[in-house]
Amino acid sequence: MTRLSSKALRLSWMFGLLSMLLPGQSQEVMAQILVQGERDFSKLIYVTEDYPPGNFLEEGELKGIGVDLLLAAANEAGYSIKRSQIQLNAWARSYRMALKVPGYVVFSTTRTPEREALFKWAGPIQSGFSVGLIAHKDSQIQINSLAEIKKYRIAVIRGDVADELLIQAGVAPQQLVRNKNPRLLALQLSQKRVDLWAFEPDSAKEVLRSIKASPEDFEQVFRLADNTVYYALNRQTPDSLVQSLQQAIDRVKQTPQYQEIIQRYIKQP
């Protein structure tokens, strides 16, 4: 039997993975995406998670700042992306697909130094996106430094940037209660099965309302980080596609439409 070269083995593995993810479509997608000079970014495969207000499912329809900005950018560039084209998965799965498979884009993704070289980037979608530690007011938890968080049980989205930040801060893995579903994590906090929930504060209010909990019963007790979120494209995405998406985003931001999208999902005080 002829021994395959390492390059051939890598290509074989890649096509095999694509075949599992996109039966009957993988080779066609690869051929369309990996073309230098291609500018139609609607051909890319967009994956996201349930994390309001950036991206979330409401009454069977995918909505959010990241979703609406992407659709507006496609329209601005003369292309068409439908909400139904965007795949909603657990964050860890969406992130892994964009990391490993050419043609995939994951959003809304926090751009950190650790992730910088893993993807190509377009955006930002939204600035001032913070990660906080949220507690039930009855717990009377007070935290003044990172060192103090290590003794608490903390709910966190598996694979989220908050997960990474907590590990970097020295929190032991056994102190973390990980789940892909933010509503289940919010429920654990409301039932006092965890001490803290690592999540974006404004998003947390919406999730708490969705489980019939009162946001007024909870408070942020520590701010982990201020982040900016982007579309993260697989490293093999041709630069022409990245530039096309970036230019379309920039043009949308020069119009009132971008602020209309923000105001649609972020309630003003």
Side-chain angles (χ1 to χ4, degrees), residues 153-155 177 185 188-189 191-197:
R153 280 174 54 80
I154 307 173
V177 177
L185 296 176
Q188 289 183 316
L189 181 67
Q191 295 174 345
K192 301 182 181 178
R193 294 163 57 191
V194 296
D195 305 304
L196 301 166
W197 177 26

Side-chain angles (χ1 to χ4, degrees), residues 141-196:
I141 293 175
Q142 295 184 348
I143 300 174
N144 299 306
S145 70
L146 276 175
E148 297 177 17
I149 70 177
K150 299 177 184 179
K151 63 183 178 181
Y152 296 107
R153 280 174 54 80
I154 307 173
V156 65
I157 295 289
R158 184 180 291 110
D160 185 57
V161 68
D163 194 349
E164 298 175 11
L165 290 169
L166 292 168
I167 292 296
Q168 291 169 11
V171 178
Q174 58 266 30
Q175 294 297 108
L176 299 178
V177 177
R178 295 180 169 108
N179 197 286
K180 64 182 181 181
N181 189 330
R183 289 168 180 79
L184 290 180
L185 296 176
L187 188 62
Q188 289 183 316
L189 181 67
S190 68
Q191 295 174 345
K192 301 182 181 178
R193 294 163 57 191
V194 296
D195 305 304
L196 301 166

